[in-house]
Structures are given as structure tokens and as C-alpha cells.
Amino acid sequence: MKVTVDQAFWDLFPTASITVMSLYGIDNTVDEAKDPYFKELLDKGTKRAWEFIDEENYTQSEFVQEWRQAFSKFKTKKGARSSIEALLKRVHQGREFYPINPLVDLYNSVSMAYALPCGGEDMDKLVGGLSLGQAKGGEPFFPLGAETDAPALPEEIIYYDDEGAVCRCFNWREAQRTMLTEGTKDAVLVIEAINEDQAKRAQAAMQELQSLVEDYFGVKGEITHLTIDNPSVDI
């Protein structure tokens, strides 16, 4: 399967990088006996996230503002915010995080620890590869729990495959069709960065995530950094 970042994306974000990790043959089923491990991991990620939060007003943090500025460069649904802003907001509010499924818990803990958006898709549910670029508009999209289509807007930054949108506004909102579940065996994970400072953190973040995945699943993921000079990879 090929993961591709379209030129239209690089035209908007020439200094960005999308760090990709592919995983094959994992067992993502939930074992409630392992909940204390994942809860502890999420709690550690929460504590590490405070490094990136303005205690008086989390929205004034440069790590939030960078993504708000990025979202201002393309069409978004009203109220759309980056996934990392949503996590930092929950941390700032003192809300706890609880286990969802192993792979999601691992990448959420790393996302908070490095203040970077992380996401993942079930590779076996993707049709014809995964791309990141500007929407033509109207790409079908059914978020978790939705019964009606919420199609992408023209020029919105989305992940997509041959059947429609996979994530809208970078990975702000996830499609139910390709989301990671307990039944996921093969997965592709991404960490997003829009400038060079974030890119450095993204490399460290993905290496940490790779180690966590190997320790828990016994599978070593393959990592690739997609940039304007290296916009695609076969995984």
C-alpha cells in the first residue's frame, strides 16, 4: 500500500513533515487486566503535556497557536480544532484519560507527551492507499456514531482513500470506516508536524511510539518521514 502526501499540501505547508509507521500482525484486542498499564501510560502522558500548556490560558500556548494558524490556511468546518488542541484542553481542564484500545492508548500517550497530533488507520479497511491533500469537496465521510454523511469541504485538508475521506482537517475527526478497533491487525500510524521544530519532536515521538509498540505487541514498526522532497512511501 502507498501513503502519499499531495503537492497541494506542500504548497500550503512546505516545511511540514508527516511521520509514518506501518505495523503488521498486531493483536489489538482489549485485555482489561492490562488496563492499569495503559491508565498509567496515559497518566504519564498527561503529566508530560503540562510542559506545553500555558497554565492561565491553554489557548495562548504556542503549541496551540501554531495549529490554529495552520487551520486558518484552508477551509474548515466551523469549530474544528487540531487533535492536539483537544487533548491539551482536556489536560488543562483536569480531565482524566481512560483506556480505549491498546494502539489508540499508546499513540494518545505519545501525542500528549510531545504535543503533536497523532492518528492511525486500519490498513485492511483502506481502499487503494492513503493520501493527504486538499479535498475536491463532497468526499463522503461518516464520523464515529454518525448516521448521516458529513462530506469534506472543497480545499479542506483531509486524509482520503478511493472511497472517500478518512480524516478531516488533518486528523481532527476520524471516519468510522477505517478507525482502529480491537479487530485491527495491520495499521498505519501518523504523527503530524508543520514546521522544523515540530518535525524534530515528531522524530523523537515516533521513536518512542515504536518502542512502546514493540514492547507491547512484539512487532517492530517501519518508520518513514514524508517531506516535500520525499512525498510518498510504499508500506
Side-chain angles (χ1 to χ4, degrees):
M1 195 186 80
K2 184 181 288 291
V3 179
T4 303
V5 181
D6 299 342
Q7 184 58 44
F9 174 86
W10 303 119
D11 290 343
L12 285 178
F13 303 105
T15 61
S17 69
I18 305 297
T19 303
V20 177
M21 180 164 63
S22 56
L23 297 171
Y24 290 91
I26 63 169
D27 178 1
N28 201 41
T29 54
V30 173
D31 179 353
E32 292 184 2
K34 301 290 180 62
D35 279 0
Y37 166 77
F38 288 108
K39 184 64 171 68
E40 181 179 356
L41 201 63
L42 291 165
D43 287 347
K44 287 179 179 177
T46 300
K47 290 178 181 177
R48 292 169 69 183
W50 278 103
E51 176 185 348
F52 305 99
I53 297 174
D54 183 311
E55 292 192 24
E56 295 298 319
N57 185 348
Y58 81 95
T59 62
Q60 296 308 307
S61 162
E62 65 177 286
F63 307 99
V64 171
Q65 287 298 316
E66 287 174 336
W67 283 100
R68 288 202 175 188
Q69 290 166 16
F71 273 44
S72 73
K73 294 184 177 183
F74 59 91
K75 290 185 179 180
T76 65
K77 184 175 180 179
K78 185 177 179 180
R81 297 284 186 260
S82 70
S83 63
I84 189 56
E85 177 172 342
L87 291 179
L88 293 179
K89 180 179 181 180
R90 289 185 62 177
V91 173
H92 189 259
Q93 292 174 336
R95 297 164 63 189
E96 290 191 68
F97 292 83
Y98 295 94
I100 297 173
N101 66 55
L103 201 49
V104 172
D105 298 338
L106 293 178
Y107 81 62
N108 274 340
S109 71
V110 169
S111 181
M112 289 188 286
Y114 289 88
L116 290 168
C118 300
E121 306 301 332
D122 189 317
M123 222 185 290
D124 297 323
K125 297 175 183 176
L126 291 167
V127 180
L130 178 65
S131 297
L132 173 64
Q134 283 191 321
K136 295 177 181 177
E139 288 87 346
F141 180 81
F142 287 82
L144 178 64
E147 296 181 359
T148 56
D149 190 12
L153 300 172
E155 299 182 1
E156 181 180 354
I157 295 296
I158 63 169
Y159 289 90
Y160 64 95
D161 66 1
D162 288 352
E163 289 203 351
V166 168
C167 280
R168 292 184 57 184
C169 294
F170 284 89
N171 69 1
W172 160 66
R173 184 152 293 175
E174 169 73 27
Q176 183 169 325
R177 174 171 62 91
T178 59
M179 65 185 286
L180 300 173
T181 68
E182 286 190 62
T184 297
K185 303 297 183 186
D186 306 326
V188 54
L189 305 181
V190 300
I191 296 181
E192 300 165 343
I194 50 173
N195 58 45
E196 292 178 359
D197 288 341
Q198 288 186 7
K200 292 177 183 177
R201 293 208 312 279
Q203 292 190 26
M206 190 60 94
Q207 288 173 356
E208 181 169 329
L209 183 54
Q210 183 186 46
S211 295
L212 288 169
V213 164
E214 187 172 9
D215 287 345
Y216 185 78
F217 293 110
V219 173
K220 186 167 185 177
E222 293 293 327
I223 296 174
T224 304
H225 305 288
L226 299 183
T227 66
I228 192 170
D229 296 320
N230 181 41
S232 67
V233 61
D234 290 307
I235 59 174

